[in-house]
Each structure stands twice: as structure tokens, then as C-alpha cells.
Amino acid sequence: MSAKPKLAFFSFASCEGCQLQVINCEDELVALLGAVEIVNFREAIDERRDDYDIAFVEGSITRPEDEHEVKEIRERAKILVAFGACATIGGINAIKNFQPQEKVSQYVYGDQAATFPSYPARPVHDLVKVDLKLHGCPISKSEFLEACKCLLAGKQFTVPNYPVCVTCKLAENVCLYQKGMTCLGVVTRAGCDPMCPTFGNKCIGCRGLIDHPNVNAAFDVLEDLGLTLEEVTKDFTMFDGCHKEITEKK
Amino acid sequence: MLPKVLEKSKFAAFATALAGEYQVVGPQLKEQSKAGGETFVFGPVTDGAALRMDYNITLLSPKKYFLPMRETLLKYTTVGHPKAEAVMDTRQRVIVGAHPCDIYATWLLDKVFSTDHKDPNYLSRRERALIIGLDCAKPCDETSFCHDMGTNYVESGFDLMMTDIGEAYFVEIATEAGQALLAKAETREAHNEDFAKRQAFMERKQGGFHKRIPVDTKYLPEILEESYDSLVWEAIGRRCFSCGSCNLVCPTCYCFDITDKLNLDLTSGTRERTVDSCQLDNFASVAGGESFREQRSSRLRHRFFRKAKYIQEAFGRKGCVGCGRCDRNCVAKINSVETYTQIAGSR
Ligand code: SF4
Ligand code: SF4
Ligand code: SF4
Ligand code: SF4
Ligand code: SF4
């Protein structure tokens, strides 16, 4: 890599909320900008160049033309980071995967539907090799900064493979199950410094499942608490509708 | 040293006076549920009136003041001559209101962190901490099984031990440091009636606790030994999330992980220690990606073996104090008393 590594940000089907999180880094951003050069970032700068080293790819792949573009990014980038739930697991976009595609297109584009072909949402790793996944809807600022520091220093960044419960315990939160609520934190990948349970809300799984989630046990526990199979599946497909273990339950 | 009596009305002033010299940590209300249930945590106070000496159990034990959930071990820089500077917590601390089981657990941790490799960070905190115990007359709730583990009575491990005798606390003085602490309180000599009230408390206590595991727990090491291939492990393993909560809230667990964190300048950083759990997927992963405890069932079995066998063999006392924190926090409702009962029954 040249003196200053070049970063680029790209967006596919997404709300661009993850890019916004980068801008929200404010204080740290100044220090970060000293160490890198940003050559493509629609949310923040007008300049666009294609000589990037690290590409942050936000959004899921839902259109034929996205495929070509994401492959091109892969070819140019030395490191490709899937950025946010849409990109790492399909995210909110994958809710449409469980509905008739024509109906979805019609709902969004009306009589223009034929002009905008789209298909069920796919995470980026379905199409190209992904070097690092930064999960979450939106991504966590602190995780993003940690990952940047590691990438720049040539150090390995380890994405947590333990559930939200771990960080919930570190924060000494009262478990929501003890309060008669439910929570997907037992099978959801940590890294968010348990935003939701800390503020009394159930984890809805925006960071996707851990590597070996005990999904059966989760369904059992939730059904024991009176939820129907349909309700449980709905909780899980809010973000992780592309996950094999979940789609198999569907 | 002869015991003293501290009127309850004077307790808050005592704790506040201590807070002028020490960091005073004790039981406080964390949350009140809509149904009226209360959850407590240990936390620092400056006003003794915030202490809830009527608490039943806290989410985490006072262990967090000796082995914090996260801590910085050192700061380093790699510019020029690489340098590292140890970070030590040297605060003088008084832990107020520790129950016997948590005191018992501290005894065990002291052994662990001072045998073979002496852990400077743990010991720095531990040596500067004073413990004011609070005896309990009944189990915290239906999950506790301290009586089975023999940890609801402690003879040592505290500087002062308070017993609730109605309008006042009967205060036993175990160390000179404890005596110096108590000098800050307005106390009086213990009279015959106070001793009698203390005796009545002890009798109530004896009737208040009941055994819950059908076998005598002194046989657990052998019973576990025989259960190695039991299908019980398989069965509870199927329900387990490997979420680690059971370990992370346990007052006797002491595993941790160490990571280096870079600062934004990329040339300096910190070394961080975070508590870890043997139930997590990657806990037993080693370089090359191999894991020597891949199955949930074998990870669970390992936890129970640690608690009621291995630690006993290594340190001569049980590795579990029966506080029930693991069970209260298990979303899968995996329960220690039930597990030991099943294991003992499946031979
Ligand atoms: S992951 Fe969430 S915040 Fe990020 S782009 Fe997708 S929808 Fe927006
Ligand atoms: S609230 Fe959720 S994340 Fe926290 S411990 Fe309970 S199940 Fe786990
Ligand atoms: S607690 Fe769950 S839903 Fe909330 S931010 Fe974390 S992973 Fe996402
Ligand atoms: S708390 Fe329960 S579910 Fe979680 S690892 Fe422990 S035994 Fe398994
Ligand atoms: S194993 Fe459970 S009951 Fe025993 S000391 Fe640990 S948390 Fe308490």
C-alpha cells in the first residue's frame, strides 16, 4: 500500500445509515483522516476515484446490475469489508424474500415495476469474497474504528463470535427474560455494547446469528413463553432472513 | 476481640464516614420491576443511606472489585524505545454487606490468584480491600443452594461480620483493620441480651436453610467422575445456548482473555483483560482453528466438573458456593440442583 491507504465506501440496497455512522464518528474521524485518504464516499465527498485499497460495501445485492458492480469493486480492492447488516446478512431488505417478488416490486414501483427488475436480497458474501464483516443495523462506531485501526496496522481484527448475553453480563444488566420479556441476544452476535437490552429493549438480532447458534433451543424457549412459531420466525427474519437455519424453519 | 453493637439508625453515618477515606461499595437497588420485585448490584456510595442492607442477592458478586469484568493491564507505546507501563488499581476499598457465600468465593479466588503465578492486578486490589460481611438468616431465594455447598457459614475471610439483631447489628471483629474501621462508628459494648439475640439469630438460621441436593455434596467429585459418559450431559447440552451467562455471573469463575487495543495513532495502545467463559464456542479454540471442546454437552460437563470436582481436588474446597447466580441467569433454565440430582440419580 502507498503511504496513506485509500478508503472507498459503496452503497447497494440500503438506507446509507451505516455510512452516516462513519460521519458520526466526529472526533475520531479527524485522527482517522490523518492516517488514510478517502477517495469515494458519496455521503460526504464529491470526489470519486477508483484507486482504493480498502472498500467498505454497504447494502445488499438485489438487482442484476449490482452483481457486476460489486465484482468490479472486489477486483479493485485489496480488502473488501461488508459494511452493516444489509451487506453482511441481508438485513431488513431480506424481509421481502418471504413475499411474492412481483407483489413487492409492484408495491414499491407501481406500474414502473418492469423498468426496475429486482430479486430477493442477498448478502455481499453470496457474490464475492468478503474479507471482513462489520455487522449491525447500523454498524457500531466503536467496532468500525477498532477495525480501521487493525486494518491500518496490519493486525487481525476479530469479529466477536459470542452472543449479546456476554456483553449484557459485562454491563451487569438485568436479563430481559427475568422481567418476563423475550430477547434474541442468546443467539445474536455481540459487538454492539448491548444497546437494546441496556435500554430495556429486546435484542432483535440486527447483528445476525453467532457461528453455531442453538436455534432449536431458542425456538423452544420462546414457544415455552407463549409465542407462536410464526411470531418467533418473524422475530428472526427481521434481519437474518437469508440465514439457512432460519429459512429452514420457515 | 469482643464484639460491638451498632444501632441500625447509626449504620448509614458509619458508611458515610468510611466513604470519606475509602471507596465504599455495597448493595444498592438496580431496578424495580412493575410487579415490585427488586434487583440489586454492588456499587460505590458516598452516602451510606443508599445502601440496601436488606438485599437478597446481587447480579454480580463483589468479585468484580478484585477481577473486574474489564480492566486495563498496561499502556504501551512502540515509538522509539518501545515502552510499557503497568496500570494498577491502588484504591483503598471497603466492601460492605458481603454475604457468607461471596466471602467464601473470595477465599477461593485468593488461592487461585496467589498460587503459582501471582496475579499483581488481582492482588493489588485484594490487599487494599476490607470486607464487612453481613450474615443471612435465610436463603436469598428458591434458587440458592448454599447450604448444600456448606457456604452459608463462614469463619474467616472478613474484617467485620454484622448480624441483624433487630434494632441493631451485632458486629464481630475479626481483624485489627476491622477494628480500626469500626472506630469510625458510634458503637457500644455487646451486653448479655445482645449475645442472646445473636444466638436466637443463629438458631433461626439453622432452621432457615434446607438441603436441596439429595446426596451429600462431599460425594460429588466421585459421582461426577462416574458420570463422565452420562446421557444427562447430552440432554442438557441440547438446551444450552453456550451464552456464557452462567460463568460470567459466577463468583468463583476466574477465566479471562487478554487483547491489545491500538490507539488511533497506531503506535500506542493498551492491554485489556476481560473475563471469559468456558461455555463460549471459541473458548477452547487454539491456533490453527482446532477446538478441544466443540460440543455444548462437553462444555457444560466441564463447567460442572470444575465447580464440584476439579477445584475441590486442586484447592481442597468446592468451586461452587451455591449462590444460584448461574441458574437465575440461564435463559435455558439449566439448573445446578437439578443437574446434580439427575447425575446422582443416573448412575
Ligand atoms: S444495515 Fe441498517 S443502517 Fe446500515 S444501511 Fe442497512 S438498513 Fe441502513
Ligand atoms: S437481556 Fe438478552 S442479551 Fe441480555 S442476557 Fe438476557 S437474553 Fe442475553
Ligand atoms: S442488542 Fe441486538 S438488535 Fe440491538 S443493536 Fe445489539 S445486536 Fe442489534
Ligand atoms: S447460562 Fe445456561 S444457556 Fe447459557 S451457557 Fe450457561 S448453561 Fe448454557
Ligand atoms: S456455579 Fe452457580 S451457584 Fe455455584 S458459585 Fe457459580 S454462580 Fe454460584
Side-chain angles (χ1 to χ4, degrees), chain A residues 149 172 178-179 212 214, chain B residues 31 64 240 262 281 328:
Chain A
K149 288 186 266 179
E172 202 167 0
Q178 290 183 15
K179 300 198 249 183
H212 301 111
N214 196 342
Chain B
E31 254 182 64
K64 67 179 179 180
C240 174
L262 280 167
D281 198 7
R328 271 181 219 99

Side-chain angles (χ1 to χ4, degrees), chain B residues 240-246 279 300 303 330 332 334:
Chain B
C240 174
F241 290 104
S242 302
C243 71
S245 290
C246 46
Q279 301 307 295
L300 262 176
R303 173 160 76 89
C330 178
I334 290 167

Side-chain angles (χ1 to χ4, degrees), chain A residues 163-169 173-179 181-188 194 196-198 201-203, chain B residues 241 243 245 329 331:
Chain A
V164 179
C165 298
V166 169
T167 42
C168 211
K169 290 285 137 1
N173 288 336
V174 184
C175 175
L176 295 176
Y177 283 92
Q178 290 183 15
K179 300 198 249 183
M181 296 168 69
T182 63
C183 179
L184 294 190
V186 277
V187 282
T188 301
C196 304
T198 300
N201 300 316
K202 67 177 184 178
C203 167
Chain B
F241 290 104
C243 71
S245 290
N329 283 283
V331 174

Side-chain angles (χ1 to χ4, degrees), chain A residues 174 179, chain B residues 29-40 52:
Chain A
V174 184
K179 300 198 249 183
Chain B
L29 183 66
K30 158 100 177 177
E31 254 182 64
Q32 180 138 26
S33 77
K34 289 194 196 90
E38 297 180 310
T39 310
F40 300 95
R52 283 289 304 271

Side-chain angles (χ1 to χ4, degrees), chain A residues 136-138 164 183-185 188-197 201-208 239:
Chain A
C137 178
V164 179
C183 179
L184 294 190
T188 301
R189 191 181 297 280
C192 56
D193 240 347
M195 206 125 73
C196 304
N201 300 316
K202 67 177 184 178
C203 167
I204 46 177
C206 83
R207 299 177 58 89
F239 288 98

Side-chain angles (χ1 to χ4, degrees), chain B residues 143-161:
Chain B
T143 320
S144 323
F145 58 103
C146 44
H147 187 46
D148 292 87
M149 294 302 177
T151 57
N152 51 342
Y153 294 91
V154 279
E155 302 285 311
S156 60
F158 48 83
D159 296 283
L160 296 172
M161 176 60 85

